[in-house]
Amino acid sequence: MARTKPGKLTTCRCAAFAVIDGNRVVEQTGCTRQTNRQFVQGHDAKLKSLLIRAGVAGLRVRWTEDDQAREGDPLAASRGFGFGHQVEAGIRGRLDKLAKQAERKAAKAKPRIVAIKVGRHVYAGAEVDPATGAATYTTRSGEVKTIEAGKYKVQEEQ
């Protein structure tokens, strides 16, 4: 897209884009500003972040270009502006971050094996439930017991 003629105001280009799920519009920039350029200052970044959010969510984008409605993935929508590589990197980076967060959450969900002190006795190999904090341990006589969080002290990780 070329710049418009000086003095001729047009709607900011970011207003022409909408994130869709099926035929339902999920998100738009909501821009109504007029400019003699493609974008009002900062609205190219506003459009990039909209396209990145759409890409991360796996949604499609609908936009108007040369008075024609078009539809495609967020990368197709960013072509012609010169920031497609930034949209692609943003989507990839956010998806990587979400995958790492899911891995950390899954690791936290596993019971921790620790040595705990209950009263004056220390029990090695106790399992601490990450959701409740309750610890399950085996006494010296072979009895399996569960004790609620706050009623024991963690001695060491195993």
Side-chain angles (χ1 to χ4, degrees), residues 41-121:
Q41 183 176 357
H43 286 222
D44 55 335
K46 185 184 244 191
L47 178 58
K48 280 187 271 190
S49 63
L50 177 84
L51 295 174
I52 289 169
R53 284 192 303 275
V56 169
L59 299 174
R60 296 182 60 78
V61 179
R62 185 179 294 150
W63 70 97
T64 55
E65 188 175 334
D66 300 327
D67 296 328
Q68 290 186 341
R70 301 188 190 279
E71 188 176 310
D73 67 344
L75 293 177
S78 65
R79 288 189 196 113
F81 292 119
F83 52 69
H85 64 286
Q86 293 173 329
V87 172
E88 183 178 7
I91 293 169
R92 192 176 335 105
R94 184 67 179 135
L95 289 175
D96 289 347
K97 184 176 181 179
L98 290 171
K100 287 178 185 174
Q101 286 175 345
E103 286 175 20
R104 283 194 300 272
K105 188 175 183 179
K108 284 183 180 178
K110 295 178 187 172
R112 289 182 10 219
I113 308 298
V114 296
I116 61 170
K117 184 174 183 180
V118 180
R120 64 180 184 202
H121 300 286

Side-chain angles (χ1 to χ4, degrees), residues 3-15:
R3 286 187 187 180
T4 58
K5 294 178 183 176
K8 182 181 178 193
L9 293 177
T10 59
T11 304
C12 179
R13 288 287 293 139
C14 74

